[in-house]
């Protein structure tokens, strides 16, 4: 049995990763911000109190590990908070991994590293033009991993919007909440743009599991993931409207930033097995019991 650390085990994605690893027979050590959180209901064999903004708490990670899976990270807060948690927190974690002679480190990053984006199709080699403090903090985390990995094999998964059984914070999840609440008017953008910027949480968990057993190239990589077979956002909204029996009006407005699709080539090369965008949305609606 292998012992694997999963940061942010109480987050929706952390729980999906924990469930997958436990189902495969791994011993999961989950990190939570407070030692007062009970293990009951969480997919973890052990819990460790870890505050990403407090370097001293990283010494709570003790013993022998086969891998770290770094899910935790702050998405809302001041520029200082975001950099301390998402950026420096990742630096402290890779430093601890090196101290423990860890062989493998899988990092859940974000498509947010690309900021507003400069291309219609964004892939592993696309430029990184940042847009705000959150984008910069995500990029800083990747830079720390790239420069500090040493003897640890490190790979980052750049995740888009995540669909799953629990709440994830992205624009489609916000639309879904408004549909369930039957808000009379919901604003949306880019109705005719073919979209694949979403992935089911179980697909991420499966990819993480694949990477834990895979021989990686010696250099650091950060690969975007998403769904195949892009479809217009109008079609996605229609599926969600039918699933929620939404009776209000969709108001299509001008976007604040240009849309983009995701090139999955790099991730597929190393074992990612995507599903179609429509299947992702339908699975999400089923998970939400709609």
């Amino acid at each position: 049995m292998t012992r694997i650390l999963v940061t942010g085990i109480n987050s929706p994605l952390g729980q999906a990763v924990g469930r997958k690893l436990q189902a495969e027979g791994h011993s999961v050590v989950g990190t939570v911000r407070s030692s007062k959180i009970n293990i009951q209901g969480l997919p973890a064999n052990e819990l460790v109190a870890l505050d990403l903004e407090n370097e001293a708490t990283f010494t709570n990670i003790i013993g022998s590990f086969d891998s770290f899976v770094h899910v935790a990270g702050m998405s809302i807060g001041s520029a200082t908070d975001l950099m301390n948690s998402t950026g420096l927190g990742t630096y402290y974690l890779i430093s601890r991994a090196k101290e423990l002679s860890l062989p493998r480190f899988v990092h859940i990053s974000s498509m947010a590293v690309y900021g507003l984006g400069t291309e219609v199709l964004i892939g592993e080699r696309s430029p990184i033009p940042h847009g705000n403090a959150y984008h910069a903090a995500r990029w800083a985390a990747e830079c720390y991993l790239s420069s500090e990995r040493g003897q640890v094999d490190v790979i980052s998964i750049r995740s888009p919007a995540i669909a799953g059984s629990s709440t994830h914070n992205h624009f489609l999840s916000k639309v879904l909440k408004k549909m369930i609440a039957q808000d009379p008017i919901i604003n949306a953008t880019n109705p005719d743009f073919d979209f694949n910027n979403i992935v089911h949480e179980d697909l991420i968990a499966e990819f993480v599991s694949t990477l834990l057993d895979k021989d990686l190239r010696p250099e650091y990589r950060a690969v975007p993931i998403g769904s195949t077979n892009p479809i217009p956002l109008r079609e996605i909204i229609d599926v969600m409207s039918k699933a929620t029996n939404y009776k209000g009006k969709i108001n299509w407005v001008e976007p604040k930033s240009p849309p983009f699709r995701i090139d999955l080539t790099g991730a597929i090369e190393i074992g990612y097995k995507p599903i179609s965008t429509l299947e992702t949305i339908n699975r999400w609606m089923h998970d939400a019991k709609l």
Side-chain angles (χ1 to χ4, degrees), residues 57-168:
T57 66
F58 285 78
T59 57
N60 293 340
I61 303 171
I62 57 175
S64 176
F65 290 90
D66 296 273
S67 306
F68 283 2
V69 180
H70 184 28
V71 177
M74 184 180 289
S75 59
I76 299 174
S78 68
T80 300
D81 290 341
L82 289 165
M83 189 58 72
N84 285 340
S85 177
T86 302
L88 286 173
T90 301
Y91 170 75
Y92 299 146
L93 190 63
I94 187 64
S95 298
R96 188 61 176 160
K98 291 168 65 177
E99 291 170 356
L100 296 175
S101 300
L102 191 80
R104 180 63 50 87
F105 189 117
V106 177
H107 169 230
I108 308 300
S109 185
S110 170
M111 291 297 294
V113 298
Y114 296 105
L116 300 179
T118 59
E119 301 174 337
V120 174
L121 183 65
I122 291 181
E124 184 177 1
R125 306 299 181 189
S126 295
I128 308 288
H130 308 299
N132 59 37
Y134 173 59
H135 304 159
R138 281 293 190 178
W139 176 235
E142 290 192 13
C143 290
Y144 287 132
L145 292 176
S146 177
S147 62
E148 295 294 329
R149 66 189 187 280
Q151 72 272 19
V152 184
D153 287 339
V154 183
I155 187 163
S156 289
I157 301 171
R158 290 174 176 165
S159 171
I162 302 175
S165 55
S166 300
T167 301
H168 292 279

Side-chain angles (χ1 to χ4, degrees), residues 4-290:
I4 300 173
L5 184 87
V6 179
T7 66
I9 194 69
N10 55 336
S11 68
L13 181 56
Q15 291 185 55
V17 171
R19 289 193 300 268
K20 175 65 175 175
L21 296 179
Q22 281 193 324
E24 294 186 344
H26 301 290
S27 177
V28 175
V29 180
T31 76
V32 289
R33 191 175 181 90
S34 171
S35 59
K36 296 179 181 180
I37 295 178
N38 194 292
I39 197 170
Q40 186 174 2
L42 293 176
N45 303 84
E46 308 169 53
L47 288 183
V48 171
L50 180 70
D51 181 351
L52 294 177
E53 299 175 63
N54 183 351
E55 184 178 5
T57 66
F58 285 78
T59 57
N60 293 340
I61 303 171
I62 57 175
S64 176
F65 290 90
D66 296 273
S67 306
F68 283 2
V69 180
H70 184 28
V71 177
M74 184 180 289
S75 59
I76 299 174
S78 68
T80 300
D81 290 341
L82 289 165
M83 189 58 72
N84 285 340
S85 177
T86 302
L88 286 173
T90 301
Y91 170 75
Y92 299 146
L93 190 63
I94 187 64
S95 298
R96 188 61 176 160
K98 291 168 65 177
E99 291 170 356
L100 296 175
S101 300
L102 191 80
R104 180 63 50 87
F105 189 117
V106 177
H107 169 230
I108 308 300
S109 185
S110 170
M111 291 297 294
V113 298
Y114 296 105
L116 300 179
T118 59
E119 301 174 337
V120 174
L121 183 65
I122 291 181
E124 184 177 1
R125 306 299 181 189
S126 295
I128 308 288
H130 308 299
N132 59 37
Y134 173 59
H135 304 159
R138 281 293 190 178
W139 176 235
E142 290 192 13
C143 290
Y144 287 132
L145 292 176
S146 177
S147 62
E148 295 294 329
R149 66 189 187 280
Q151 72 272 19
V152 184
D153 287 339
V154 183
I155 187 163
S156 289
I157 301 171
R158 290 174 176 165
S159 171
I162 302 175
S165 55
S166 300
T167 301
H168 292 279
N169 186 28
H170 54 80
F171 82 99
L172 281 178
S173 67
K174 294 174 182 177
V175 168
L176 182 62
K177 289 179 186 177
K178 291 178 180 179
M179 286 181 171
I180 293 172
Q182 294 295 324
D183 282 15
I185 299 176
I186 298 175
N187 291 331
T189 63
N190 303 306
D192 300 314
F193 185 79
D194 287 336
F195 179 88
N196 72 336
N197 196 344
I198 191 165
V199 63
H200 195 278
E201 62 189 16
D202 289 345
L203 269 290
I204 300 179
E206 290 172 11
F207 189 30
V208 167
S209 177
T210 297
L211 292 173
L212 293 180
D213 294 327
K214 194 174 185 65
D215 289 331
L216 300 174
R217 298 177 184 176
E219 72 269 21
Y220 170 75
R221 295 184 71 180
V223 293
I225 60 172
S227 299
T228 60
N229 305 102
I231 56 177
L233 270 163
R234 190 190 305 276
E235 184 175 339
I236 292 173
I237 296 296
D238 286 345
V239 171
M240 294 168 62
S241 295
K242 291 175 182 177
T244 56
N245 196 28
Y246 179 61
K247 302 299 184 184
K249 177 184 177 183
I250 302 297
N251 183 36
W252 295 102
V253 299
E254 286 296 316
K256 295 180 180 179
S257 59
F260 62 86
R261 285 185 295 277
I262 299 174
D263 180 357
L264 316 178
T265 304
I268 291 172
E269 285 176 356
I270 53 176
Y272 177 56
K273 297 179 180 178
I275 60 177
S276 72
T277 304
L278 182 58
E279 185 177 353
T280 300
I281 299 299
N282 284 333
R283 187 183 292 191
W284 182 24
M285 297 300 101
H286 179 267
D287 291 341
K289 297 180 173 59
L290 297 174

